[in-house]
Amino acid sequence: MTTNNGQQRIGIFDSGVGGLTVLRELYRQLPNESILYFGDTARLPYGSRTKQEILQFVREILRWMVQQDIKMAIMACNTSSALALETVRSEFNLPILGVILPGARAAVQHGQRIGVIATPATAASNAYRRAISEIDTTAQVWQVGCPEFVPLIEQNRLHDPYTTEVAREYLTPLMQEGIDTLVYGCTHYPHLAPVLRAILPSEVKLVDPAVHVVAAAAQELDLLGLLNTQPPLPTRFCVSGCPQQFAQLSVQWLGCTPMVEKVYLPTSPHSPVLLEQVD
Ligand code: DGL
């Protein structure tokens, strides 16, 4: 691994603007860190992809990020964390963090009847149920796949009454189970917080795994002696799709129009190529 010169970035990625909810936490908890953000907008939504596709995309992204000399990668994407984290961790020689374990740990601290809203791929993977029951065998978990949310958010239809209607449909079975905690099992969903909060009973606690993955990243960087002490470089935003579209959509969460680059990822050959083998 390259030695930290105080300028190495943390690489974070998602299919689109969902990772901005993790970026927001990075700015809040680790204000000295420089960030490389990648949104795979040409290939979203990830939530209806197969495990094989997600693995290929994640390998391509990580290979490119390593070329950009990142010091740590955060999968700001539950679908990638559920389907690819375990595999790529043993293929790349750098710390890689996912959102599911930190989210599961936080959920059991809040309640015992836990609802998880997620992409269809994450819900079907059972990743949250498994992670939660490994920590607390008494907690009950209900997972709902929400295929319409990511396209609605990426189309900036946050205030469309149709979005509220869809949200009500997804949340109703969870409310009927009497959940006390709801986990955002997709990094896009905190962008819907006002819509979800208006539907849910006020006693239901909302858990955003972004808060907890960034806390875990801070701990790990500290442990590895990789925390930045210098003022950060401006965040570098890169996408695989249309940069203008990403910039226009992001401005409402970033508070300014970001400069966005289009990048072409090195494509994977059919059999996975390993960048650096772990010793
Ligand atoms: N935001 C990502 C997640 O947390 C991906 C959503 C998607 O592209 O379907 O799963």
Side-chain angles (χ1 to χ4, degrees):
M1 202 186 294
T2 327
T3 48
N4 186 24
N5 55 11
Q7 298 280 292
Q8 269 186 301
R9 296 173 190 264
I10 299 173
I12 79 170
F13 68 89
D14 178 46
S15 61
V17 293
L20 297 179
T21 60
V22 177
L23 181 64
R24 177 172 65 192
E25 275 308 309
L26 278 163
Y27 288 160
R28 201 175 65 83
Q29 296 186 41
L30 288 169
N32 285 329
E33 294 301 323
S34 305
I35 319 290
L36 167 63
Y37 187 99
F38 178 74
D40 199 359
T41 52
R43 302 190 284 199
L44 69 80
Y46 272 15
S48 45
R49 298 282 190 171
T50 63
K51 179 171 179 157
Q52 226 31 53
E53 286 175 309
I54 297 295
L55 250 176
Q56 181 203 322
F57 299 166
V58 169
R59 282 180 174 132
E60 288 172 6
I61 295 166
L62 287 173
R63 183 159 41 186
W64 172 75
M65 284 195 158
V66 170
Q67 286 168 1
Q68 310 308 307
D69 193 31
I70 59 163
K71 61 181 176 182
M72 165 185 274
I74 301 179
M75 291 186 176
C77 171
N78 288 262
T79 311
S80 309
S81 308
L83 302 181
L85 178 63
E86 240 174 76
T87 309
V88 295
R89 258 198 183 144
S90 61
E91 296 176 353
F92 289 85
N93 190 17
L94 87 165
I96 307 175
L97 275 67
V99 273
I100 291 181
L101 191 58
R105 283 204 186 110
V108 297
Q109 277 165 16
H110 285 95
Q112 280 288 298
R113 300 180 70 78
I114 300 167
V116 180
I117 46 172
T119 65
T122 302
S125 76
N126 254 325
Y128 270 102
R129 175 168 292 133
R130 258 186 284 122
I132 289 170
S133 61
E134 268 172 37
I135 305 163
D136 182 345
T137 48
T138 62
Q140 284 183 280
V141 181
W142 293 270
Q143 303 165 115
V144 175
C146 310
E148 294 213 57
F149 274 165
V150 167
L152 285 168
I153 294 163
E154 291 285 340
Q155 290 160 21
N156 206 12
R157 292 174 63 188
L158 304 170
H159 307 292
D160 186 331
Y162 178 73
T163 305
T164 303
E165 202 181 300
V166 167
R168 199 177 295 281
E169 234 169 80
Y170 293 146
L171 293 178
T172 298
L174 297 174
M175 294 190 290
Q176 282 168 350
E177 294 296 348
I179 56 162
D180 53 27
T181 305
L182 181 71
V183 179
Y184 291 120
C186 171
T187 53
H188 279 74
Y189 300 173
H191 293 318
L192 288 176
V195 174
L196 303 176
R197 201 60 281 179
I199 298 169
L200 289 166
S202 56
E203 63 273 15
V204 174
K205 286 160 226 101
L206 285 164
V207 172
D208 184 356
V211 177
H212 307 281
V213 73
V214 172
Q219 245 180 12
E220 185 144 350
L221 288 172
D222 189 23
L223 213 71
L224 297 170
L226 290 175
L227 278 169
N228 267 9
T229 47
Q230 309 294 317
L233 300 167
T235 301
R236 191 176 159 207
F237 291 95
C238 300
V239 292
S240 56
C242 173
Q244 289 81 9
Q245 199 179 323
F246 183 87
Q248 269 169 24
L249 184 59
S250 305
V251 64
Q252 61 192 303
W253 297 298
L254 294 171
C256 59
T257 309
M259 286 241 313
V260 186
E261 300 164 50
K262 183 177 172 93
V263 297
Y264 296 89
L265 296 179
T267 49
S268 290
H270 293 299
S271 55
V273 166
L274 307 187
L275 250 185
E276 290 176 85
Q277 205 94 46
V278 168
D279 297 336

